[in-house]
Amino acid sequence: MTLYQPFLDHAISYIKLRLDLAPYPIPREFESKSAIVGKGKNQETVVTSSYAFRTPKLRQIRAAHVQGGKALQVLNFVIFPQLNYDLPFFGADLVTLPGGNLIALDMQPLFRDEAKYRAKYTEPILPMFHAYHERLSWGGDFPEEAQLFFSPAFLWSRPKETRIVETIVFEAFRDYLQAYLDFAEQAEPVKDPHNLQAIKEAQLQYTRYRADKDPARGMFKRFYGEEWTEEYIHGFLFDLERSLSSVS
Ligand code: DBV
């Protein structure tokens, strides 16, 4: 069992329990990709597995799980709502590299500076955020331009011990996901054309940013090459732009 497998297993069984899921098509070359990296005794097989679903309210619920031995484990799990809902994005970036663990967990807002939006989607989860924030030390600096996309409930930590990831981070992940599905359950479709346009622009801005600045790009390029990596980023991980320009 690898470090983030229980997170992935929980997420999938929990969304199956609460949502009426349909499959989200994944291009074949992305379902599972592997490469052998390193030399001699340090050789490791790095496998990246992809999972994706959709529901009437959630355009894409997707996970990328990278498993490359004890020192290389990543779970990136993101939920992109349909464009006629004002729901935030659910974003989890759980990363273990030779340099340590890096945990990012948030409900990333569409409209960061609107008090009404904040009251609807951030304030209700602040007590939960504060409880975990006290138990996990703050992760320090992160790219300034990324700050635009995080909420005040952004949980950001670099836990030194794996045990912390297995316990506190796992608990936080489950609680954030539960709170997100509560929001999704209550969400009503947006009808106003002006608001719909604003949602579309905010979703595009977010997905473009994440595709452009994907911190995993370097790693994926080293393992699987440039062509596969760019396709994976634009055709699966952050595919909104492509999905809008296709006819379906
Ligand atoms: N990050 C992704 C995807 C990944 C992934 C799709 C499938 O968005 C992994 C894999 N994140 C990943 C890896 C690293 C990070 C780091 C491998 C380490 C990169 C390295 O050290 O070489 C949150 N993730 C990070 C960092 C942040 C995040 C802030 C540190 C980056 C840095 O210091 O430069 N999550 C990430 C992020 C947003 C988010 C930037 C923006 C909205 O939601």
Side-chain angles (χ1 to χ4, degrees):
M1 181 73 84
T2 55
L3 185 56
Y4 299 113
Q5 189 70 49
F7 292 69
L8 179 64
D9 291 346
H10 167 77
I12 291 179
S13 60
Y14 188 63
I15 60 175
K16 281 189 173 156
L17 187 74
R18 287 201 53 183
L19 303 170
D20 189 12
L21 296 179
Y24 185 99
I26 305 177
R28 254 197 108 96
E29 63 275 26
F30 302 145
E31 275 175 13
S32 177
K33 177 77 176 169
S34 61
I36 295 167
V37 304
K39 289 205 175 83
K41 268 203 278 186
N42 296 323
Q43 222 169 48
E44 281 282 359
T45 304
V46 183
V47 181
T48 297
S49 316
S50 305
Y51 305 82
F53 309 92
R54 66 174 147 202
T55 77
K57 291 183 180 179
L58 304 170
R59 189 186 69 82
Q60 189 200 37
I61 304 168
R62 63 103 183 115
H65 189 201
V66 183
Q67 297 174 92
K70 239 185 144 68
L72 176 62
Q73 296 291 325
V74 178
L75 179 64
N76 183 266
F77 181 79
V78 182
I79 301 178
F80 302 89
Q82 301 283 5
L83 300 190
N84 60 334
Y85 288 88
D86 70 355
L87 287 162
F89 303 94
F90 178 87
D93 204 12
L94 312 172
V95 180
T96 298
L97 297 176
N101 307 302
L102 179 159
I103 300 301
L105 191 56
D106 198 10
M107 295 202 202
Q108 299 179 309
L110 289 173
F111 309 109
R112 198 177 180 278
D113 300 320
E114 282 180 21
K116 249 176 75 182
Y117 193 86
R118 198 179 275 225
K120 190 171 177 185
Y121 289 126
T122 298
E123 279 159 26
I125 63 165
L126 282 180
M128 176 175 80
F129 162 75
H130 287 302
Y132 286 111
H133 186 52
E134 273 178 21
R135 299 167 70 194
L136 295 167
S137 53
W138 180 245
D141 290 345
F142 60 92
E144 196 175 311
E145 58 199 14
Q147 293 180 19
L148 243 154
F149 298 100
F150 292 110
S151 83
F154 177 37
L155 212 53
W156 167 240
S157 190
R158 298 176 187 270
K160 296 257 177 331
E161 294 158 43
T162 306
R163 193 76 202 126
I164 304 287
V165 176
E166 292 167 335
T167 55
I168 305 172
V169 174
F170 189 35
E171 217 183 296
F173 177 78
R174 284 178 299 181
D175 278 355
Y176 269 64
L177 185 60
Q178 174 172 355
Y180 187 84
L181 295 197
D182 291 345
F183 283 143
E185 200 169 271
Q186 290 152 25
E188 298 287 345
V190 171
K191 302 262 165 60
D192 177 75
H194 176 80
N195 293 342
L196 286 169
Q197 186 60 27
I199 290 171
K200 184 174 166 184
E201 278 163 21
Q203 282 235 9
L204 277 168
Q205 190 192 17
Y206 175 84
T207 39
R208 278 184 193 136
Y209 174 79
R210 296 219 39 190
D212 287 351
K213 302 287 156 124
D214 190 342
R217 180 176 261 110
M219 171 185 93
F220 281 137
K221 276 191 185 171
R222 264 185 289 124
F223 300 157
Y224 308 125
E226 172 149 20
E227 195 183 337
W228 184 91
T229 298
E230 293 305 325
E231 265 314 294
Y232 190 53
I233 291 172
H234 295 282
F236 177 65
L237 291 176
F238 304 106
D239 70 355
L240 178 64
E241 198 143 26
R242 288 245 188 118
S243 78
L244 288 177
S245 59
S246 71
V247 195
S248 66

